[in-house]
């Protein structure tokens, strides 16, 4: 009879028997005005019919692994601009991931919109 996987000696931390599931928790819908916690990110934005009048509502997601992330600043976006995040590569190797941590909308006196986009960076372990 062949021995089961449980009886095999471990080869290291990458052994699948040591894998701990990593789960993010997201709100069921976009009901939040902000996602202020360090371990949160914007998982979705509620569609608006009139962006100048109605408050922007966000769907916040949380993952405790993001507690080690670092602040990358706030991008002030105006009409036609966008923030770009995603994978960060150095010498062909992914070393981090930039994500939108929070979003705030400001309507100026003349009716123009500005979105303040908080960007954070999560380093990728070796």
């Amino acid at each position: 009879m062949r021995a089961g996987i449980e009886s095999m000696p471990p080869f290291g931390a990458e052994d699948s028997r040591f894998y701990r599931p990593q789960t993010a928790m997201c709100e069921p819908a976009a009901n939040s005005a902000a996602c202020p916690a360090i371990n949160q990110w914007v998982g979705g934005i509620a569609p608006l019919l009139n962006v100048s009048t109605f408050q922007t509502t966000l769907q916040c997601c949380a993952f405790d692994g993001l507690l080690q992330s670092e602040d990358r600043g706030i991008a002030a976006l105006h009409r036609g601009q966008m923030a770009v995040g995603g994978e960060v590569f150095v010498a062909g190797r992914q070393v981090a991931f930039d994500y939108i941590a929070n979003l705030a909308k400001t309507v100026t006196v003349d009716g123009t919109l500005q979105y303040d986009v908080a960007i954070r960076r999560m380093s990728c372990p070796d």
Side-chain angles (χ1 to χ4, degrees):
M1 294 182 64
R2 185 173 69 177
I5 190 168
E6 294 79 19
S7 65
M8 294 172 55
F11 295 106
E14 68 277 354
D15 189 304
S16 64
R17 291 173 287 167
F18 294 109
Y19 176 73
R20 291 179 40 209
Q22 300 179 21
T23 305
M25 301 301 294
C26 293
E27 297 172 336
N31 294 319
S32 295
C35 303
I38 293 174
N39 68 333
Q40 289 184 319
W41 77 92
V42 176
I45 303 170
L48 297 174
L49 299 175
N50 186 337
V51 294
S52 297
T53 305
F54 296 108
Q55 178 181 345
T56 300
T57 54
L58 308 173
Q59 179 184 28
C60 300
C61 296
F63 174 62
D64 285 341
L66 296 178
L67 292 171
Q68 304 304 316
S69 66
E70 64 181 42
D71 183 18
R72 299 295 292 169
I74 295 176
L77 303 181
H78 298 90
R79 185 181 194 136
Q81 296 179 323
M82 66 180 182
V84 177
E87 300 166 321
V88 178
F89 288 92
V90 173
R93 181 176 163 266
Q94 184 179 355
V95 296
F97 188 86
D98 288 348
Y99 63 94
I100 296 173
N102 203 358
L103 179 80
K105 177 181 74 174
T106 304
V107 181
T108 62
V109 177
D110 65 358
T112 59
L113 294 176
Q114 174 178 313
Y115 289 93
D116 294 327
V117 181
I119 308 288
R120 294 190 67 85
R121 177 171 286 180
M122 179 62 191
S123 294
C124 297
D126 291 338

